[in-house]
Amino acid sequence: NAGVMQNPRHLVRRRGQEARLRCSPMKGHSHVYWYRQLPEEGLKFMVYLQKENIIDESGMPKERFSAEFPKEGPSILRIQQVVRGDSAAYFCASSPTGEYGYTFGSGTRLTVV
Amino acid sequence: ELKVEQNPLFLSMQEGKNYTIYCNYSTTSDRLYWYRQDPGKSLESLFVLLSNGAVKQEGRLMASLDTKARLSTLHITAAVHDLSATYFCAVDRETSGSRLTFGEGTQLTVNP
């Protein structure tokens, strides 16, 4: 059981570029959550998805950020026109039922230069 | 809006000592979680507390939940250096669509 797989582990982007972060949930898990962790802070919820559906995106910034979880393939968190303030660790978690039992991935550390 | 507060935020202790980390939350919650995070790493699940009065223990760590006081505690017994990490509590509510709200984290350093 490979667990929740996130890639890349580290991503460096220049201001104005796009960042794409990928998350493959655990086998059998159809619920995916994205969280952002700014330096020295706790994790903040961004978005909750099931296959092909966004269930709750109340934590997503209104502009430049989008997420999807297609029928086939990993969940993608996309950040357009990145700015320095987007530098953070982005964690994905998955759950089999949408209730407790969340497993976190290793995260993607995004650095915007 | 659900708020989760931890204290202390920073804790430096000697090996062999006991201490407690507190987690307060603002509204009724269905579940309370404790996670450990080592620097640059992901979150490791420690405990899930589901009901009032729940107590769980694993090694030198014990977690408890008082839903009436909206308080959870993580008690460390006879600390060892390997426990140095950041500890987060988090809550979720069925009505919030199963998203976790995290506390700010307690950075624990155990000195030899």
Side-chain angles (χ1 to χ4, degrees):
Chain A
N1 191 342
V4 178
M5 304 299 291
Q6 287 189 250
N7 67 83
R9 291 291 304 274
H10 299 275
L11 182 61
V12 179
R13 284 286 177 266
R14 295 186 185 278
R15 280 178 294 170
Q17 290 185 319
E18 178 179 288
R20 279 182 176 244
L21 288 61
R22 295 174 185 76
C23 169
S24 296
M26 282 186 72
K27 188 174 180 181
H29 288 196
S30 59
H31 301 253
V32 166
Y33 310 80
W34 286 93
Y35 292 83
R36 176 164 65 176
Q37 184 177 32
L38 295 170
E40 310 299 328
E41 292 188 12
L43 279 74
K44 297 286 194 289
F45 168 80
M46 299 182 76
V47 62
Y48 164 30
L49 311 103
Q50 281 182 268
K51 282 287 186 181
E52 299 185 276
N53 290 305
I54 297 175
I55 307 301
D56 180 357
E57 58 181 347
S58 58
M60 288 278 269
K62 295 284 185 262
E63 296 177 347
R64 302 188 297 107
F65 284 72
S66 62
E68 63 176 6
F69 190 13
K71 188 176 178 181
E72 302 290 337
S75 175
I76 307 285
L77 180 67
R78 183 180 176 207
I79 312 171
Q80 295 178 289
Q81 298 177 310
V82 296
V83 300
R84 287 228 172 99
D86 297 332
S87 295
Y90 291 83
F91 289 95
C92 167
S94 72
S95 163
T97 62
E99 295 184 4
Y100 67 96
Y102 308 98
T103 302
F104 280 82
S106 298
T108 294
R109 272 101 185 141
L110 172 66
T111 303
V112 179
V113 296
Chain B
E1 181 187 344
L2 178 56
K3 288 187 179 2
V4 181
E5 292 183 347
Q6 286 180 240
N7 74 84
L9 299 184
F10 298 93
L11 176 56
S12 179
M13 55 192 297
Q14 295 295 122
E15 279 192 329
K17 298 292 187 184
N18 304 331
Y19 210 83
T20 300
I21 299 170
Y22 297 89
C23 174
N24 291 274
Y25 52 96
S26 59
T27 61
T28 305
S29 170
D30 293 321
R31 295 170 284 259
L32 191 294
Y33 305 77
W34 283 97
Y35 291 92
R36 168 183 171 144
Q37 185 180 38
D38 291 289
K41 304 291 186 183
S42 186
L43 278 76
E44 173 191 353
S45 178
L46 296 174
F47 303 106
V48 182
L49 303 169
L50 301 177
S51 60
N52 187 41
V55 177
K56 290 195 175 179
Q57 182 161 7
E58 182 73 34
R60 300 175 189 274
L61 300 177
M62 183 174 72
S64 66
L65 178 62
D66 180 343
T67 58
K68 292 179 182 173
R70 295 176 186 164
L71 171 68
S72 178
T73 61
L74 181 67
H75 187 72
I76 303 154
T77 302
V80 292
H81 181 65
D82 285 351
L83 289 179
S84 297
T86 299
Y87 293 84
F88 291 97
C89 66
V91 299
D92 73 359
R93 303 174 64 192
E94 191 174 346
T95 53
S96 71
S98 299
R99 67 182 204 194
L100 290 169
T101 300
F102 282 83
E104 309 96 314
T106 296
Q107 190 173 315
L108 171 66
T109 304
V110 181
N111 302 303

